Amino acid sequence: MIRSRNKSPEEQQPADHSSDGQAQAVPAGESPAAAAGGRRLALDVHGRLRTMILSGELPPGSVLLQAEMARKLGVSRTPMREAFRLLQEEGLIDARPDQRARVRAVDPEDLDAVYGARIMLETLAVSMTAKSFTAEDIERMSGALKRMQGLAVDEQPDEWHTAHHEFHSIATQAVGPHLQRMLASLGEHSERYIRLAQLGAPASWGKAYAEHEALLEALRTSDPAEAARVVARHLARTALSVLADIAPEYEPVATRTALGIAGTGQS
């Protein structure tokens, strides 16, 4: 019979290193699954905070305390610290050495850059989509537009923005997954500016709906150049409207340059 040998120090350790249930920094020996779970939790917390900032639930200038937000969202400080780091990298918060942070004020340079990039990419996407638009696509896009028109933006903002996102997603659906991710990121970043435009000039939304209808018609008639021109002007009008309200002295070079390229059909 083989007798049991003396165990090494490593073998004498309990098999479960996380029996206390507490999140820890990844120690030697922690399973990849546990590390991945912690990362997923941090990304989830980041996504929830990001949505709160972009939607205006956490307005510019709001003080964010890690401990307070961790209690509010029901998580530990570890994923909250990682979420704060990601938000700071995105430029959505300014973190302080004492762990205090604030939601960043609206930055006209950021707005200009976001909309300049969005105009260039979205005009490319709608031009490609116009060449392969189907009757089913027209029906889906018309449905999203009807939902937008039937919702009161100030009373049902989340439902309106969901329909608005669907409308633009259908209009840009022909591009590949990498560009889709870029468009989605820019669209999410734009949401706080769209909400500011709605607050600053509510009467202008009749014009916005006319532009949405014009984009749908350009796609219906398979006219890539017209689709590009319509979406470029639509996006630029939102950016310029917000800038006129928050920073009338700022010259939006990126937005105007992108509009000029898309509006003249240059490539």
Side-chain angles (χ1 to χ4, degrees), residues 18-267:
S18 58
S19 59
D20 61 358
Q22 298 297 316
Q24 301 176 21
V26 182
E30 183 179 42
S31 70
R39 177 63 174 172
R40 283 195 298 271
L41 178 58
L43 292 174
D44 179 62
V45 172
H46 162 257
R48 291 161 71 184
L49 287 174
R50 191 175 191 271
T51 298
M52 293 166 74
I53 292 170
L54 295 178
S55 70
E57 182 178 346
L58 291 173
S62 298
V63 175
L64 302 178
L65 301 177
Q66 287 188 15
E68 180 181 319
M69 294 305 300
R71 285 193 298 271
K72 183 174 181 178
L73 298 183
V75 298
S76 72
R77 293 281 292 276
T78 300
M80 188 59 65
R81 281 195 296 270
E82 176 65 7
F84 271 44
R85 184 186 69 79
L86 294 172
L87 291 169
Q88 186 174 16
E89 286 184 355
E90 288 182 293
L92 291 176
I93 68 172
D94 288 318
R96 305 298 174 87
D98 60 359
Q99 292 192 334
R100 288 179 179 270
R102 290 182 182 272
V103 178
R104 288 189 64 183
V106 176
D107 182 352
E109 185 175 353
D110 176 72
L111 187 159
D112 186 33
V114 166
Y115 271 87
R118 190 175 172 193
I119 288 169
M120 295 305 297
L121 293 180
E122 200 153 328
T123 53
L124 168 64
V126 298
S127 297
M128 293 171 63
T129 302
K131 299 174 183 178
S132 59
F133 218 56
T134 67
E136 182 182 350
D137 295 329
I138 293 170
E139 184 176 352
R140 290 168 53 224
M141 199 167 167
S142 297
L145 181 57
K146 287 177 181 176
R147 291 202 307 277
M148 289 165 58
Q149 293 171 329
L151 292 166
V153 179
D154 53 346
E155 296 176 4
Q156 299 165 289
D158 292 339
E159 292 85 350
W160 188 93
H161 281 278
T162 297
H164 184 252
H165 173 73
E166 181 181 347
F167 180 90
H168 280 273
S169 294
I170 297 168
T172 59
Q173 66 185 7
V175 299
H178 182 65
L179 186 49
Q180 286 284 3
R181 288 192 292 271
M182 294 172 68
L183 286 169
S185 178
L186 289 169
E188 289 175 3
H189 204 99
S190 301
E191 187 172 323
R192 70 189 310 205
Y193 302 131
I194 294 171
R195 291 176 187 259
L196 286 172
Q198 290 168 337
L199 292 172
S204 69
W205 286 94
K207 176 65 174 174
Y209 286 130
E211 290 166 350
H212 284 114
E213 290 169 351
L215 176 58
L216 176 58
E217 182 60 23
L219 293 170
R220 190 198 310 271
T221 57
S222 301
D223 189 339
E226 179 62 13
R229 283 192 291 269
V230 170
V231 82
R233 292 167 185 166
H234 172 62
L235 294 172
R237 192 176 58 77
T238 299
L240 298 176
S241 174
V242 176
L243 284 170
D245 190 40
I246 66 167
E249 73 286 353
Y250 183 83
E251 178 56 35
V253 176
T255 297
R256 292 196 181 281
T257 300
L259 177 60
I261 294 172
T264 59
Q266 298 176 14
S267 59

